[in-house]
Amino acid sequence: MGREVPGSGIRVEEESRTRTVAPPLYRVLMHNDDYTTMEFVVEVLQTVFRKSATEANQIMLHIHHKGVGECGVFPYEIAETKVARVHSLARKTGYPLRCSLEEA
């Protein structure tokens, strides 16, 4: 887009600015149950959410004591995929481990 300076015959190009909007973020929550082992929860936190062993243990203990804990914050599609991966891994091993999403 441009405009012409009146009476000069000069055309001035205007720069348009486009703002990108970050996608909304979602928290992935893991819920405590009486059947899934603590070791499995730590393994899932390390493999699916790429947490260190120390951080995975801290999150697992938080989930164990509080009933629910945050595994990470992601754009919707990524969060949804991580929840599906957790459910798939849990079902393959026979655990009822449950994850959910909530808008951050």
Side-chain angles (χ1 to χ4, degrees), residues 13-58:
E13 292 295 321
E14 294 177 1
E15 187 177 309
S16 67
R17 294 186 182 194
T18 307
R19 288 195 175 156
T20 56
V21 177
L25 298 176
Y26 289 80
R27 296 172 58 206
V28 176
L29 303 173
M30 190 176 289
H31 303 270
N32 190 39
D33 64 68
D34 294 333
Y35 303 100
T36 306
T37 64
M38 293 178 175
E39 293 80 12
F40 182 76
V41 171
V42 169
E43 181 182 330
V44 166
L45 288 166
Q46 289 179 299
T47 57
V48 176
F49 297 97
R50 304 228 181 259
K51 302 295 184 186
S52 67
T54 303
E55 192 175 10
N57 274 296
Q58 289 173 344

Side-chain angles (χ1 to χ4, degrees), residues 1-6 8-14:
M1 307 246 354
R3 64 180 173 86
E4 192 169 315
V5 177
S8 69
I10 299 173
R11 185 168 178 82
V12 177
E13 292 295 321
E14 294 177 1

Side-chain angles (χ1 to χ4, degrees), residues 58-74:
Q58 289 173 344
I59 295 169
M60 176 273 300
L61 288 172
H62 180 84
I63 294 166
H64 181 70
H65 293 294
K66 302 290 184 180
V68 66
E70 183 180 296
C71 302
V73 179
F74 310 94

